[in-house]
Amino acid sequence: MNTIFTEHLLSIMIAMPFLGIGIIACIQDQEWIRRVALGCTLGDAVLALVLLREFDFSTQGMQFVERMAWMPTFNIQYAVGVDGISLLLVLLTTLLCPFCVLCSWKSITTRVRSFMAMILLVEGAMIVVFTALDLFLFFMLWEVTMIPMYFMIILWGGPQRIAAGIKFVLYSLSGSLILLLAILGLYVEGGRTFDILALAENTYSPDAQFWIFLAFFLAFAIKLPMLPFHTWLPDAHSEAPTAGSVLLAGVLLKMGGYGFLRFCLPMFPEASVTFAPFILWLSVAAIVYGGYMALAQSDLKKLVAYSSISHMGFVTLGIFVFNNHGIQGAILQMVNHGITTGALFLAVGQLYDRTHSRSIQDYGGLQKSMPRFVALFCLFSVASFGLPGTCNFIGEFLVLVGTSFESYVMVLLSMGGIVLAAAYMLWMLQRVVLGQPKNSTIAQLPDLNMRELVTVIPLAVLILGIGLYPSPLMEMMDSSVTHLTQHMAQYQLGMIHEVSLR
């Protein structure tokens, strides 16, 4: 029985959220709907810990692989598996979803069943995206993630929710259509198979690599989002409910970075090297631009949203320097960004639930009325700009070390983005936390209750834990990242040898 459970662990994790949707569809009581949703997300988190315990860190290949014929006529399979890279993103997904349920416990009072179903649907779809070993399965669930996020924004969002939701869908659909073109091109060039592992072993002509890589790049750049495809993100974040913002920043943005690591680098090394200088400078521009725009914001959620553009610039910067330090830093930054930005959105949501205002000017003097909140909010804010001892520092440091092998100018400009991050976060803290309360309502705000503390304290522990002892996360991805960088190094050496012969 234990062997059967382990062999089908990923399928059980995928099925858990969808089972939860079926159960809450039959329940009328809103309190029990919330409890079932929380139970399903916590159940998946426990299964993720079992997955972590059983995972063999010494091997770079896929583990817990399950395959079953799905549509044999088109050579399509239900195929899932994890390596050191996807394992971390599965853990991140299952970590954040219970907190999304908890933060919505009191704030979501209408269509509770539908809202909880949306959270479960995102969780199930994201686990498939990060574990799929079949391109058709990957694309189908990639598309599914868009649906619940759209409805979260337009049904439970802010005053401009309709415009933000439509903008989100238009960008997402554009990226999806480009991704579909890339998948079809890869299917034809790769021997009429959707098997991701088999496609990664094939060799593609320079022309095929160029065009298919370009299509994949545009699709993933929109999802990440990279400059200049970022304009949908601030609106979506500012109008989405708290849980929607946490899922969007914490999990969905990581689909773009994961796509670069799973498809672009291993399958199209020549095109990756060709496009790398352009992507690196675009990443540096995003780091500086995101920090500059965040500095100009008066809306708390938009400030955090623009900070995400800057942080995700570090992800693409680390990926496309093609060395161990850079790629490990990029993966760590994806996980760390999910934790710190998710925590910031949770904290902003806790403020919004009390005042129904996101404007920085409406606050002040919170250290007097909400000392517990202020202590945690300050930790999340300084972690966001990479204070040593917090998790973001480790990821950004490794990315900068990896980038130093490529260009010291890029390192210096990226460090300018970190300075901007410190400026906008500290200035925001000064206006929100210090000084005198703006009015009697702010002076009498209640501090965090037990449910709210349970929602954010685990993230605070992870921020400090990873920042002080990142070694376990490094060990998880080490074999997979080493295999990927060796693959890129072999190709780069081959290019150098070919040029020398000419």
Side-chain angles (χ1 to χ4, degrees), residues 181-193 198-199 201-212 267-268:
L181 286 174
I183 289 173
L184 292 176
L186 190 57
Y187 172 76
V188 172
E189 293 291 329
R192 311 260 174 193
T193 180
L199 291 167
E201 296 296 325
N202 288 343
T203 302
Y204 304 94
S205 66
D207 284 345
Q209 285 202 41
F210 180 90
W211 291 109
I212 299 175
M267 295 183 185
F268 314 113

Side-chain angles (χ1 to χ4, degrees), residues 37-282:
L38 180 61
C40 288
T41 54
L42 287 174
D44 248 0
V46 171
L47 290 174
L49 293 177
V50 175
L51 185 71
L52 174 62
R53 187 192 66 185
E54 299 293 328
F55 190 82
D56 182 3
F57 297 149
S58 63
T59 179
Q60 54 83 18
M62 289 289 173
Q63 301 179 42
F64 300 95
V65 175
E66 300 177 48
R67 291 186 182 274
M68 184 180 69
W70 184 10
M71 290 182 255
T73 305
F74 301 102
N75 204 15
I76 295 173
Q77 298 178 314
Y78 167 78
V80 292
V82 290
D83 62 359
I85 297 171
S86 52
L87 173 64
L88 282 169
L89 296 174
V90 170
L91 289 170
L92 177 64
T93 303
T94 56
L95 166 72
L96 293 178
C97 286
F99 301 134
C100 292
V101 175
L102 282 172
C103 77
S104 308
W105 205 273
K106 297 297 183 183
S107 60
I108 301 298
T109 57
T110 59
R111 304 186 186 95
V112 175
R113 178 190 289 109
S114 300
F115 190 84
M116 295 301 165
M118 296 296 109
I119 294 176
L120 293 172
L121 182 57
V122 169
E123 180 176 32
M126 289 306 307
I127 294 173
V128 176
V129 167
F130 291 139
T131 61
L133 299 181
D134 183 276
L135 265 177
F136 182 86
L137 180 67
F138 173 85
F139 178 76
M140 190 174 74
L141 274 298
W142 173 286
E143 286 291 275
V144 168
T145 60
M146 175 182 63
I147 299 169
M149 283 308 308
Y150 170 71
F151 284 112
M152 277 188 181
I153 294 170
I154 67 163
L155 295 180
W156 294 276
Q160 305 298 320
R161 60 185 181 274
I162 302 299
I166 292 173
K167 195 172 186 179
F168 168 75
V169 165
L170 289 176
Y171 270 86
S172 298
L173 279 177
S174 300
S176 296
L177 290 173
I178 298 170
L179 179 62
L180 180 60
L181 286 174
I183 289 173
L184 292 176
L186 190 57
Y187 172 76
V188 172
E189 293 291 329
R192 311 260 174 193
T193 180
F194 289 102
D195 189 326
I196 292 174
L197 298 183
L199 291 167
E201 296 296 325
N202 288 343
T203 302
Y204 304 94
S205 66
D207 284 345
Q209 285 202 41
F210 180 90
W211 291 109
I212 299 175
F213 175 93
L214 182 60
F216 271 122
F217 168 74
L218 290 173
F220 298 146
I222 291 171
K223 184 64 71 175
L224 196 64
M226 289 183 70
L227 197 71
F229 309 107
H230 66 284
T231 56
W232 64 268
L233 183 67
D235 293 331
H237 270 318
S238 61
E239 299 303 322
T242 300
S245 295
V246 173
L247 288 172
L248 190 59
V251 184
L252 267 72
L253 300 190
K254 311 308 179 290
M255 293 163 65
Y258 177 75
F260 288 134
L261 293 166
R262 182 63 69 215
F263 299 100
C264 292
L265 267 62
M267 295 183 185
F268 314 113
E270 180 177 341
S272 296
V273 172
T274 302
F275 280 92
F278 167 73
I279 296 172
L280 290 175
W281 283 111
L282 206 58

Side-chain angles (χ1 to χ4, degrees), residues 305-381:
Y306 276 108
S307 76
S308 293
I309 295 170
S310 182
H311 292 146
M312 297 311 288
F314 277 100
V315 172
T316 49
L317 184 65
I319 290 173
F320 284 92
V321 294
F322 308 132
N323 58 54
N324 270 38
H325 291 95
I327 294 178
Q328 285 192 339
I331 298 168
L332 269 180
Q333 186 67 1
M334 284 197 283
V335 175
N336 297 337
H337 174 265
I339 295 170
T340 55
T341 306
L344 281 170
F345 276 121
L346 288 171
V348 172
Q350 290 166 346
L351 271 184
Y352 184 80
D353 290 343
R354 287 163 169 75
T355 64
H356 297 288
S357 172
R358 301 192 306 261
S359 178
I360 295 174
Q361 282 78 11
D362 291 343
Y363 295 98
L366 288 181
Q367 86 280 3
K368 298 177 180 179
S369 57
M370 303 179 69
R372 291 197 295 268
F373 170 83
V374 165
L376 291 164
F377 191 51
C378 288
L379 173 62
F380 301 152
S381 299

Side-chain angles (χ1 to χ4, degrees), residues 3-36:
T3 304
I4 295 174
F5 173 77
T6 304
E7 288 177 350
H8 299 284
L9 184 54
L10 285 178
S11 292
I12 295 170
M13 290 181 65
I14 293 166
M16 180 78 75
F18 294 103
L19 178 63
I21 293 172
I23 294 173
I24 64 176
C26 304
I27 300 174
Q28 297 299 321
D29 185 82
Q30 290 188 352
E31 194 69 16
W32 274 103
I33 289 172
R34 297 184 181 99
R35 291 174 183 175
V36 170

Side-chain angles (χ1 to χ4, degrees), residues 283-303:
S283 302
V284 172
I287 292 169
V288 177
Y289 169 83
Y292 177 77
M293 291 299 295
L295 196 60
Q297 301 306 310
S298 59
D299 184 300
L300 281 168
K301 290 188 80 172
K302 282 196 173 182
L303 183 148

Side-chain angles (χ1 to χ4, degrees), residues 269 273 322 482-498:
V273 172
F322 308 132
T482 300
H483 176 73
L484 181 58
T485 53
Q486 286 176 347
H487 172 74
M488 292 302 300
Q490 288 174 357
Y491 177 77
Q492 288 174 301
L493 286 172
M495 284 186 67
I496 294 170
H497 180 66
E498 185 178 341

